């Protein structure tokens, strides 16, 4: 039976033991459940524990205390490792660390080939992953000739060829230009919508977090806020205290509100903001 919960985190604490005096407690007492098909953004200031948390989702790190279950499988049990890595694919900040071949399609085939999957199915998976990542026409290209955004989508295609139920992406747009960021985000939204893939996106861009269905804000190794973006970004004061900005449309609306304009909610996109401003203009005209 399919588990409705993709990832369950219970009372998770993690301490880095660097071997030097003074350990770093990166996570303390985190409880969290991510359901299948959710699109979750994990935001928070630098050093708040976002990466450390994400690395627990495919057993790259194991709890110092507490428990992490992936599709019901305990990450602390070595016998579960293979199944967990099959279900949860990770994409990191620098795509070049994940690209191994000199030809796009060979690069995407690398993972499934290593799993010992028969060649006809490998070809099918490569085809599917290239389409999903929007890279079909680059199949015969050399990865190093692609743009940064395309290379990150190639890293994503390599992970998609493993057909994971869940994607965990740790600051995947940090090295991309705005166009590359937009393309990657659109790809993730499409995967989530059409394939039902669970997406966990670690990001420090609030505009990206606003695109998720749920935003988790980390602060000092704990969850500070967790809810739909409209709720989380309504907590402007709290976010400010954490040193976080609002998405630009929400910040503009906040400025208008301070000047006495009525704001019906928190606009998270330019489109929403335009609607709000239109409403204000009409209100004044009437
Ligand atoms: P974020 O992703 O939010 O920037 P991290 O999870 O990378 O936060 O880090 C959380 C805390 O753990 C920080 O205090 C950081 O300095 C510390 N940390 C991260 N990686 C290591 C490491 N490999 N060794 C020791 N401390 C680390």
């Amino acid at each position: 039976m399919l588990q409705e919960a993709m990832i369950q985190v219970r009372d998770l604490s993690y301490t880095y033991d660097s071997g030097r005096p003074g350990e770093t407690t990166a996570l303390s007492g985190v409880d969290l459940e991510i359901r299948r098909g959710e699109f979750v953004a994990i935001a928070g200031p630098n050093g708040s524990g976002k990466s450390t948390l994400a690395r627990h989702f495919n057993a790259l790190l194991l709890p110092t205390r507490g428990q992490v279950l992936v599709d019901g499988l305990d990450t602390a049990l070595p016998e579960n490792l293979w199944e967990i890595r099959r279900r949860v694919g990770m994409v990191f900040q620098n795509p070049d660390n994940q690209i191994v071949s000199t030809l796009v399609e060979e690069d995407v085939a690398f993972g499934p080939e290593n799993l010992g999957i028969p060649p006809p199915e490998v070809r099918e998976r490569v085809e599917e992953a290239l389409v999903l990542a929007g890279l079909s026409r680059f199949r015969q290209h050399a990865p190093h000739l692609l743009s940064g955004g395309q290379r990150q989508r190639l890293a994503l295609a390599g992970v998609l060829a493993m057909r994971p139920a869940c994607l965990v992406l740790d600051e995947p747009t940090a090295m991309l230009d705005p166009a590359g960021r937009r393309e990657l985000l659109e790809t993730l939204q499409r995967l989530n919508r059409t394939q039902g893939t669970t997406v966990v996106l670690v990001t420090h861009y609030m505009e990206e977090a606003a695109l998720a269905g749920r935003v988790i804000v980390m602060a000092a190794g704990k969850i500070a806020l967790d809810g739909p973006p409209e709720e989380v970004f309504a907590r402007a004061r709290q976010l400010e205290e954490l040193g976080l900005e609002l998405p630009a449309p929400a910040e503009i609306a906040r400025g208008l509100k301070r000047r006495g304009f009525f704001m019906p909610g928190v606009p998270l996109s330019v489109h929403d903001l335009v609607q709000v401003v239109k409403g204000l203009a009409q209100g004044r005209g009437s």
Side-chain angles (χ1 to χ4, degrees):
M1 199 185 79
L2 280 182
Q3 284 266 340
E4 215 217 316
M6 188 72 237
I7 291 164
Q8 289 161 291
V9 175
R10 295 178 186 150
D11 192 27
L12 170 63
S13 295
Y14 186 81
T15 303
Y16 285 99
D17 181 3
S18 55
R20 279 170 275 134
E23 296 175 328
T24 309
T25 299
L27 296 173
S28 43
V30 174
D31 283 297
L32 172 67
E33 181 170 310
I34 294 174
R35 290 174 296 283
R36 272 180 185 275
E38 276 197 290
F39 191 137
V40 180
I42 302 181
N46 266 342
S48 58
K50 304 183 295 295
S51 275
T52 306
L53 180 61
R55 281 160 201 256
H56 278 83
F57 296 164
N58 83 337
L60 278 176
L61 293 177
L62 300 177
T64 306
R65 200 190 70 209
Q67 196 180 36
V68 176
L69 304 178
V70 172
D71 207 13
L73 302 164
D74 190 335
T75 61
L77 301 177
E79 62 268 32
N80 287 339
L81 192 61
W82 198 81
E83 280 297 321
I84 288 169
R85 298 264 164 94
R86 221 168 55 86
R87 283 167 169 75
V88 180
M90 291 278 295
V91 175
F92 298 96
Q93 194 175 95
N94 187 348
D96 297 338
N97 293 341
Q98 278 182 280
I99 294 171
V100 291
S101 304
T102 51
L103 200 62
V104 163
E105 61 183 4
E106 278 175 14
D107 196 77
V108 181
F110 184 78
E113 274 170 356
N114 273 337
L115 284 182
I117 289 167
E121 191 186 329
V122 171
R123 277 195 293 278
E124 195 184 302
R125 285 179 176 224
V126 169
E127 188 56 40
E128 176 187 272
L130 287 173
V131 170
L132 289 171
L135 288 175
S136 295
R137 66 195 170 96
F138 298 106
R139 61 174 66 246
Q140 295 287 334
H141 286 224
H144 73 276
L145 296 179
L146 301 178
S147 70
Q150 288 162 345
R151 288 206 303 283
Q152 188 58 292
R153 282 186 287 131
L154 174 56
L156 175 65
V159 172
L160 291 176
M162 315 289 273
R163 293 192 175 149
C166 178
L167 286 171
V168 177
L169 306 104
D170 190 357
E171 306 263 10
T173 61
M175 300 177 77
L176 307 186
D177 61 16
R181 293 216 296 267
R182 202 168 42 245
E183 285 164 10
L184 185 74
L185 263 294
E186 280 169 9
T187 306
L188 295 178
Q189 287 181 303
R190 194 172 62 241
L191 283 166
N192 175 253
R193 227 179 18 245
T194 64
Q195 311 291 305
T197 308
T198 310
V199 178
V200 180
L201 172 70
V202 173
T203 181
H204 65 263
Y205 293 109
M206 293 302 156
E207 272 81 5
E208 290 182 4
L211 297 172
R214 173 180 175 193
V215 180
I216 293 172
V217 178
M218 300 289 298
K222 294 182 193 301
I223 293 178
L225 291 166
D226 180 358
E230 311 78 53
E231 279 175 26
V232 166
F233 291 119
R235 310 288 283 269
R237 184 83 55 82
Q238 198 174 345
L239 291 170
E240 208 167 59
E241 280 165 14
L242 294 173
L244 299 175
E245 290 172 353
L246 292 177
E251 190 61 53
I252 293 168
R254 194 175 176 222
L256 288 168
K257 194 172 172 185
R258 277 211 213 95
R259 283 162 187 76
F261 290 97
F262 170 71
M263 284 295 133
V266 182
L268 295 175
S269 65
V270 170
H271 175 266
D272 290 351
L273 180 64
V274 168
Q275 296 307 313
V276 167
V277 173
K278 261 189 189 165
L280 292 177
Q282 279 162 3
R284 200 155 55 181
S286 62

